[in-house]
Amino acid sequence: MISEHALAQQATLFTPRLKLEQLGEKHFAGMMQGINNPELSKLTGTLEVFTLERIQSWLTGLPGRNDRADWAIVRQSDGVFLGEVVLNNLDEHNQSMNFRIALSSVEVLNQGYGTEVTKAVIDYGLDVVGLHRISLSVFAFNPRARRVYEKCGFVQEGVERDALFWNGVWVDSIIMSVLSSDPRV
Ligand SMILES: CC(C)(COP(=O)(O)OP(=O)(O)OC[C@H]1O[C@@H](n2cnc3c(N)ncnc32)[C@H](O)[C@@H]1OP(=O)(O)O)[C@@H](O)C(=O)NCCC(=O)NCCS
């Protein structure tokens, strides 16, 4: 049974160094930092260029939604916005959602933040929202993200061949999931 309340009124989550709070209008400046960064855009396969207006209106509409949960990743020590993490694509009947994460500057990668966040959101999704399955896709050229997902309990299910056409090159997309019945790491 899915708790829509746990999505609409999503909890603030704490990890050793981070606070995950409802993403919204107040994170506009932080979101703008990373949104059109070419290196980060490649890792998420994002071709669109986002306008200020579009981001603002997107952020304004997020709080209270009962079909997804979007958190801002904030460093506890100095309050700096580090990125966003999302559970979306709710399939209520099959108790599943999709997972997505993006830190918003290259300076904060590889410091263990992504691992902390991913573990906390898996626990929230499976234990509090009541999901049976959380899935994601990750491009083959992103071994760092794949490593983080594996460390946190995601298991590879398959490969979508040539799912992305990036700068003239076809790239595979790897499908991974974690189930409520999987051993928790
Ligand atoms: C993916 C992302 C969330 C990971 O978070 P992070 O804080 O950078 O990662 P962590 O520091 O927690 O862990 C990185 C792990 O990958 C490993 N790693 C780093 N680069 C690697 C590489 N090129 N090949 C293999 N492993 C690599 C690190 O050694 C570490 O594993 P370890 O703890 O076993 O040593 C973050 O890098 C990010 O937001 N990247 C940009 C957007 C993106 O790629 N989003 C995911 C789209 S699917």
Side-chain angles (χ1 to χ4, degrees):
M1 178 84 170
I2 294 295
S3 166
E4 285 189 16
H5 179 77
L7 295 171
Q9 304 295 322
Q10 67 195 62
T12 300
L13 308 179
F14 290 90
T15 72
R17 294 174 294 168
L18 306 169
K19 176 182 174 189
L20 309 186
E21 63 187 21
Q22 167 71 61
L23 184 66
E25 257 181 301
K26 76 172 192 178
H27 305 108
F28 176 73
M31 285 290 285
M32 286 311 299
Q33 278 174 23
I35 210 88
N36 293 321
N37 175 304
E39 191 175 337
L40 298 172
S41 295
K42 178 182 176 186
L43 292 168
T44 53
T46 307
L47 285 163
E48 268 174 285
V49 174
F50 295 95
T51 62
L52 303 187
E53 295 71 26
R54 184 143 166 234
I55 293 164
Q56 187 113 47
S57 97
W58 173 247
L59 291 173
T60 305
L62 291 176
R65 283 188 62 163
N66 64 3
D67 61 342
R68 57 185 293 141
D70 299 71
W71 285 273
I73 304 167
V74 178
R75 193 158 50 202
Q76 288 183 39
S77 61
D78 55 9
V80 168
F81 174 92
L82 298 185
E84 60 168 334
V85 59
V86 181
L87 287 172
N88 60 1
N89 297 352
L90 172 66
D91 177 341
E92 199 160 351
H93 178 78
N94 294 309
Q95 300 168 34
S96 70
M97 293 185 88
N98 176 71
F99 175 88
R100 193 165 64 72
I101 180 170
L103 300 183
S104 60
S105 88
V106 287
E107 289 77 36
V108 301
L109 307 184
N110 285 320
Q111 295 177 38
Y113 293 133
T115 304
E116 279 185 34
V117 170
T118 303
K119 283 188 174 153
V121 171
I122 289 174
D123 286 347
Y124 189 78
L126 300 181
D127 298 339
V128 184
V129 180
L131 297 171
H132 176 58
R133 170 185 161 88
I134 302 174
S135 61
L136 61 81
S137 57
V138 53
F139 295 117
F141 56 43
N142 197 349
R144 174 175 44 222
R146 289 167 64 183
R147 170 77 189 128
V148 168
Y149 300 147
E150 275 164 14
K151 273 200 299 181
C152 296
F154 281 94
V155 175
Q156 180 170 329
E157 294 181 330
V159 176
E160 292 183 307
R161 297 178 302 153
D162 289 358
L164 175 74
F165 192 56
W166 192 269
N167 278 348
V169 178
W170 288 108
V171 183
D172 291 344
S173 177
I174 293 146
I175 310 298
M176 305 179 82
S177 74
V178 59
L179 304 180
S180 57
S181 49
D182 285 342
R184 206 67 65 86
V185 290

